[in-house]
Amino acid sequence: LRVLVPETFGAGLCYFTGSQQHNIMLRVRGNKRRLKISEHGVFTRVGEQRLAGALEEEVFAAVGLPFIPPELRENAGELEAAAEGRLPALVTSDSILGDLHVRSDPTDREGSIEALAREALWRGLTYLVIADPSPSRVGAGGLDVDGLNKQGNFLRDLEQRLGAIRLLRGVEVEILPDGSLDHDPAILAELDWVLGGMHIALDQPPERLMGRLLRALESGLVDCLAHPLGRTIGVSGPSARPEGLSLDVELMLHRARRHGVALEVHGSPERLDLPAERCRQARRARVPLALASGASAPEELSRLDLALSMARRGWVEASQLLNARPPALLAEQRQERLRRPSTSVAVGGVLEEAEVELGEDLPALAQALGQEPLPEPLRERLEAWTHGEKDEALAAALELRGDNPTQQAFALLWRGSTEVEGKG
């Protein structure tokens, strides 16, 4: 416990909620202005006159910066973004309308759902997605078709009784070892929300695990990948995977965006998946995220706060979160995806086939675009693409590098031309 006098409180709060490297770089900015910054305040180097310290905003203002939220204080570009006016407007709890993944307690399905709904109302949520596991997960209380139908009838009745909350029919369908989904496609198409997750046969080679995910993404039936990295935290033995499965995250993001599938940010302390750094990666790739508590008891709805915290640490804004959208808009987006033709591919060697589909190894191509000088064959491809020639692989690789592929292409060409002029 640290107790600070009021005139140093802001400086102390700023210092102890920032990473070491963030604080160092903040002091470097201060040195350039002949200022001394510490947990005690901001002082002039000559005479040590106090200039700021009572409020965090004062500390940042002293070095010419707007307030930087605590979640961003990692020396991960936040100081530069603040200086250039590019800090994100981080999502807040006020923007969260619903929880996109809760589940019933198998020992008391209807009672647990009603308890969850009443707690959600108390917390100010306007909808919940009830997504119990699919049939193959018997030990987790998986629901067959009859169980789903019975649950759907109960949800409609409970909605009418409570009156102020939507209860959406969902399922967490298992992505089976061959990449198929553990429910009849016709049944899945009737639901309000379908999560796809992998819980079995996780010892498959990485390329087959990746193939399973790609097939689910391309099925047109999945709205969101549940705990996409397969992280398990705080457990021992072979099921412990604090870093998650060995997956090609860049390819996952690319395909998720192409097929309009969201990635879940699961707030369970045993999951915390996606983690913050992957949330930021998804933000750069413009892939929507869905916050979820995974709650099966009322008190577990507070896990939504953990999911929100990870999203904020990942620089996520409300516009990227599906939880900030009303159920009607989610339904509209789902129907649009269901109308698209499926592009599923066979699972045997799916990773290789998926890359061949676009002509080459996308991460390698994205890396090649960062070479200086730009290889001449790649420069010619960029020129042709900017003049309207179709090149899906090149466009996908540019997407992997960040926002606005067209702008990137012109910037790369411009950089190359200035290099040539400089040599001349």
Side-chain angles (χ1 to χ4, degrees):
L1 175 65
R2 294 184 182 274
V3 180
L4 305 174
V5 295
E7 58 265 30
T8 71
F9 184 78
L13 192 60
C14 184
Y15 181 84
F16 291 115
T17 57
S19 71
Q20 183 182 39
Q21 287 303 312
H22 171 89
N23 287 328
I24 288 173
M25 297 310 297
L26 198 63
R27 292 199 295 270
V28 168
R29 289 184 67 91
N31 286 337
K32 293 178 180 178
R33 293 170 177 245
R34 298 187 177 184
L35 300 176
K36 177 183 176 182
I37 300 176
S38 71
E39 64 268 36
H40 304 295
V42 181
F43 305 87
T44 60
R45 286 211 166 270
V46 178
E48 297 213 358
Q49 178 186 355
R50 175 186 294 278
L51 300 179
L55 300 174
E56 288 184 294
E57 289 84 353
E58 294 177 356
V59 177
F60 288 111
V63 292
L65 297 177
F67 174 77
I68 298 176
E71 295 95 332
L72 303 188
R73 299 173 191 173
E74 298 285 353
N75 192 36
E78 71 279 3
L79 293 168
E80 294 81 359
E84 297 168 8
R86 295 186 290 105
L87 280 177
L90 295 183
V91 61
T92 67
S93 58
D94 293 339
S95 299
I96 306 303
L97 303 179
D99 189 330
L100 286 164
H101 186 183
V102 303
R103 52 194 296 186
S104 66
D105 184 337
T107 63
D108 181 16
R109 291 196 185 277
E110 295 183 356
S112 60
I113 292 174
E114 181 164 351
L116 283 167
R118 292 186 181 278
E119 179 72 12
L121 277 171
W122 182 84
R123 289 175 177 273
L125 300 179
T126 61
Y127 64 90
L128 293 177
V129 171
I130 315 299
D132 284 335
S134 53
S136 64
R137 296 181 63 204
V138 177
L143 286 181
D144 58 15
V145 175
D146 289 340
L148 276 176
N149 289 335
K150 181 181 178 182
Q151 186 178 83
N153 293 333
F154 172 75
L155 294 179
R156 283 190 288 270
D157 292 342
L158 182 58
E159 268 189 351
Q160 292 180 354
R161 281 196 286 122
L162 297 180
I165 190 168
R166 287 290 316 279
L167 300 173
L168 305 182
R169 294 177 64 210
V171 68
E172 185 183 8
V173 65
E174 184 68 21
I175 303 172
L176 296 170
D178 67 351
S180 61
L181 303 177
D182 184 27
H183 255 311
D184 185 328
I187 299 298
L188 296 177
E190 293 176 357
L191 298 175
D192 299 314
W193 188 255
V194 173
L195 294 126
M198 297 192 300
H199 306 85
I200 59 176
L202 298 181
D203 57 350
Q204 287 182 317
E207 64 271 14
R208 290 192 63 82
L209 290 172
M210 195 66 207
R212 289 165 68 178
L213 283 181
L214 292 180
R215 187 173 179 187
L217 287 170
E218 295 165 349
S219 69
L221 296 167
V222 172
D223 299 288
C224 179
L225 283 183
H227 41 79
L229 301 186
R231 295 182 83 201
T232 49
I233 305 169
V235 299
S236 58
S239 61
R241 291 182 302 276
E243 301 301 322
L245 300 166
S246 296
L247 301 171
D248 186 336
V249 178
E250 290 286 2
L251 183 58
M252 180 197 300
L253 291 170
H254 175 262
R255 292 306 174 88
R257 183 180 170 206
R258 174 191 284 188
H259 298 289
V261 178
L263 300 189
E264 184 181 67
V265 184
H266 198 295
S268 165
E270 293 78 31
R271 289 288 188 186
L272 299 182
D273 187 4
L274 290 171
E277 63 272 16
R278 296 299 191 182
C279 288
R280 188 174 181 189
Q281 195 174 354
R283 176 182 183 263
R284 291 194 295 264
R286 291 177 289 170
V287 173
L289 298 176
L291 304 187
S293 68
S296 58
E299 63 274 12
E300 292 175 350
L301 283 174
S302 62
R303 296 172 174 179
L304 199 61
D305 297 333
L306 290 177
L308 177 62
S309 177
M310 288 190 293
R312 285 176 59 88
R313 288 179 57 211
W315 295 50
V316 173
E317 301 179 279
S319 59
Q320 190 184 351
L321 284 185
L322 297 186
N323 308 68
R325 304 176 191 180
L329 184 54
L330 295 181
E332 180 181 322
Q333 293 168 339
R334 172 169 171 75
Q335 290 305 312
E336 180 183 344
R337 184 172 53 259
L338 288 172
R339 286 192 290 267
R340 299 174 191 166
S342 172
T343 57
S344 293
V345 293
V347 172
V350 165
L351 183 59
E352 292 80 4
E353 290 181 16
E355 290 177 348
V356 169
E357 179 185 331
L358 287 181
E360 53 206 300
D361 183 340
L362 297 182
L365 180 57
Q367 186 175 8
L369 288 168
Q371 293 181 25
E372 295 187 25
L374 195 64
E376 189 58 27
L378 205 47
R379 176 181 174 80
E380 291 173 1
R381 282 182 68 176
L382 282 169
E383 288 180 337
W385 185 72
T386 57
H387 284 83
E389 184 174 316
K390 189 174 182 180
D391 192 334
E392 292 185 1
L394 183 62
L398 287 165
E399 286 183 352
L400 288 180
R401 291 174 54 83
D403 295 342
N404 200 328
T406 303
Q407 185 177 355
Q408 284 191 65
F410 280 113
L412 290 169
L413 290 171
W414 178 84
R415 186 189 72 192
S417 66
T418 56
E419 288 170 353
V420 172
E421 290 173 2
K423 290 177 183 177

